[in-house]
Amino acid sequence: MRLRSLLVPRSLEGQMIAVLALSLLGLFITLAAMELRRHESVLETAESRIVLDRLGGLYVMAEHVNRQELERLIHFISSCHAGYTVSDAPFAEGRETAATGQLKQRLARVFPIEVGELAVRSATVGRDHFSYGKCRPSEIDLPMEALVISRRLPSGMWINAEVHPHEWHFRENIGALLRAGAAFLFVGAVAILFMRRLSRPLNSLARAAQQFGDGLKVEKLDEQGPSDVRRAIGAFNTMQQQVTEEIARRTRTLAAISHDVRTP
């Protein structure tokens, strides 16, 4: 009970804020659990919107630079989870399968380019491939299965991009998570404003009732807040006035009786 009294806010406003904070925490825990349960295959990752967007943007930039500039660009933008290389031929390691062939057909329609300008291979990659050397040991498990998507540029060079199912789906949904959190915070802020509008007159009513109970004179309260609260304050003001008038009458009556008793 003692710990509970310390952890649970006593005021209505504090309890409302605590409920909203716990609800927001519960929302993010639920969404995080849903993300952890969602396991994309490498083929699904390759067709995710964020991967297609980054490859499309890279292809547009790569078509307008020479090889030296492209290699500098590739070195600059490559990271642990998005590695690229430039070569005179498509990535040769790994194997082509029926699934990678179907993916190649779909990617050719998405970009759009000729099927012959694309190559998609499934490969086992390690720390020496692409930019995996930039990864921390705890950041990714190597070696692992990945896809390598190669695209021939108008200059004849090939740009190779690795794709693996790691964290991309979370990044893809981070915008939705942030929007949901922002909406929740907005609704929570509005709810707190209304709660304060409710709690202020209630707190004033509680203080006035305590003072009146202690026998102190209490000024008439302003009837403000929601209609139910205004009715409660109005009823208190009426009760206070009636009780004060009754006490005054009794005082006058007792004073008159006392005067009659003292006067023969």
Side-chain angles (χ1 to χ4, degrees):
M1 288 296 292
R2 192 176 206 180
L3 180 61
R4 181 181 176 184
S5 63
L6 291 175
L7 295 178
V8 179
R10 296 183 179 181
S11 66
L12 182 63
E13 182 180 346
Q15 291 180 7
M16 185 65 180
I17 293 174
V19 168
L20 289 171
L22 290 175
S23 299
L24 180 61
L25 179 61
L27 171 66
F28 279 104
I29 290 176
T30 301
L31 292 174
M34 292 172 63
E35 283 296 320
L36 291 175
R37 289 175 61 86
R38 177 182 170 190
H39 298 287
E40 288 183 340
S41 68
V42 66
L43 291 170
E44 292 172 331
T45 304
E47 293 187 89
S48 66
R49 175 51 51 192
I50 193 168
V51 171
L52 294 178
D53 287 346
R54 72 178 173 99
L55 291 180
L58 176 63
Y59 294 157
V60 170
M61 290 187 294
E63 290 176 353
H64 298 89
V65 296
N66 59 41
R67 178 160 187 158
Q68 186 176 10
E69 293 172 334
L70 180 58
E71 288 178 345
R72 286 201 296 266
L73 174 66
I74 291 300
H75 178 74
F76 177 75
I77 66 175
S78 291
S79 65
C80 174
H81 300 293
Y84 312 94
T85 60
V86 180
S87 58
D88 295 321
F91 189 79
E93 298 182 36
R95 60 198 179 279
E96 293 183 347
T97 64
T100 61
Q102 294 171 0
L103 175 61
K104 181 169 67 173
Q105 297 284 341
R106 292 192 293 271
L107 291 178
R109 291 193 296 269
V110 169
F111 284 123
I113 54 177
E114 297 292 332
V115 176
E117 296 180 353
L118 275 175
V120 181
R121 302 179 73 88
S122 177
T124 302
V125 294
R127 191 164 295 277
D128 295 333
H129 291 92
F130 294 95
S131 54
Y132 290 122
K134 298 181 179 181
C135 301
R136 298 185 299 273
S138 60
E139 192 171 359
I140 193 170
D141 293 327
L142 295 170
M144 69 174 181
E145 286 296 315
L147 283 180
V148 180
I149 301 173
S150 302
R151 158 93 188 268
R152 184 172 61 192
L153 301 174
S155 63
M157 298 181 297
W158 287 79
I159 185 167
N160 310 297
E162 58 83 19
V163 175
H164 61 274
H166 183 82
E167 91 163 345
W168 286 109
H169 63 271
F170 181 80
R171 289 187 184 183
E172 190 172 20
N173 291 333
I174 192 67
L177 291 174
L178 291 176
R179 287 192 295 272
F184 190 92
L185 290 175
F186 174 77
V187 173
V190 172
I192 290 173
L193 288 176
F194 277 99
M195 186 57 62
R196 286 185 174 179
R197 182 171 177 265
L198 173 64
S199 64
R200 286 197 189 103
L202 284 177
N203 291 335
S204 299
L205 179 59
R207 286 193 298 269
Q210 181 66 44
Q211 292 173 358
F212 187 68
D214 293 338
L216 301 176
K217 181 176 176 57
V218 179
E219 297 294 333
K220 184 178 179 180
L221 298 177
D222 293 331
E223 297 181 14
Q224 57 183 355
S227 59
D228 293 342
V229 176
R230 291 199 300 269
R231 285 197 298 269
I233 294 175
F236 175 80
N237 287 333
T238 301
M239 178 203 69
Q240 177 190 207
Q241 183 178 358
Q242 291 174 347
V243 171
T244 301
E245 291 175 353
E246 180 63 26
I247 292 175
R249 282 196 296 269
R250 291 180 59 186
T251 301
R252 287 194 299 270
T253 300
L254 291 174
I257 293 173
S258 176
H259 180 270
D260 290 343
V261 169
R262 289 197 303 269
T263 305

